[in-house]
């Protein structure tokens, strides 16, 4: 089976990113908050322990740097910016306006180690 093109995944989503906030709650506890406003998106991790527990259920291709870099390139060309934060600060940012030695993706590797290794 052919894998879907990243542009076919991101383009329909990007057109619907008008603005607003979503709070995801699991068992009456806040899990993550997701907000969009004028081409900028922010995902804030509230419950770090739950993220570590569900990490093993995330498809491995979504965790590959090449996949994230592909999405970052599409977002940059579309003028969108996205960041992932937790209680300690910024973890990952990508898209329009991001400058890094890794291109359009900036990763705070010391901050995300706890999520990568559980």
């Amino acid at each position: 089976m052919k894998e879907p093109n990243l542009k076919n995944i991101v383009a329909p989503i990007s057109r619907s990113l008008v603005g607003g906030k979503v709070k995801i709650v699991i068992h009456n506890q806040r899990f993550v908050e997701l907000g969009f406003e004028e081409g900028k998106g922010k995902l804030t991790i509230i419950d770090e322990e739950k993220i570590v527990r569900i990490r093993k259920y995330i498809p491995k291709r979504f965790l590959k740097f090449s996949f994230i870099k592909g999405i970052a390139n599409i977002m940059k060309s579309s003028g969108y910016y996205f960041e992932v934060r937790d209680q300690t600060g910024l973890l990952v940012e990508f898209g329009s306006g991001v400058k890094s030695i890794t291109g359009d993706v900036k990763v705070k590797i010391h901050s995300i180690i706890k999520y990568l290794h559980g």
Side-chain angles (χ1 to χ4, degrees):
M1 176 186 260
K2 185 178 175 186
E3 269 193 40
N5 184 329
L6 279 177
K7 286 189 179 184
N8 293 337
I9 295 171
V10 175
I13 296 170
S14 67
R15 284 192 289 276
S16 64
L17 299 180
V18 176
K21 291 186 178 184
V22 175
K23 293 179 183 176
I24 300 172
V25 177
I26 297 178
H27 298 299
N28 294 325
Q29 293 182 343
R30 290 188 325 165
F31 178 52
V32 295
E33 292 180 356
L34 182 60
F36 292 99
E37 185 177 326
E38 296 179 9
K40 294 182 180 181
K42 180 167 82 171
L43 176 81
T44 305
I45 299 169
I46 306 297
D47 193 335
E48 298 170 7
E49 292 176 16
K50 279 193 179 77
I51 290 287
V52 171
R53 279 191 249 143
I54 68 164
R55 181 182 49 85
K56 61 185 170 189
Y57 301 109
I58 298 171
K60 298 231 186 278
R61 69 182 172 110
F62 292 159
L63 300 175
K64 289 184 178 179
F65 188 75
S66 59
F67 182 82
I68 295 170
K69 189 155 176 51
I71 291 176
N73 288 333
I74 293 167
M75 291 187 75
K76 180 180 181 179
S77 65
S78 301
Y80 292 107
Y81 167 84
F82 194 78
E83 66 182 43
V84 179
R85 301 181 154 272
D86 68 359
Q87 304 301 323
T88 61
L90 186 69
L91 298 173
V92 178
E93 64 180 338
F94 53 87
S96 181
V98 175
K99 305 276 189 261
S100 175
I101 59 170
T102 55
D104 306 321
V105 180
K106 191 173 197 176
V107 179
K108 302 284 187 169
I109 196 69
H110 294 293
S111 301
I112 64 169
I113 286 176
K114 62 185 167 189
Y115 299 105
L116 297 175
H117 296 293

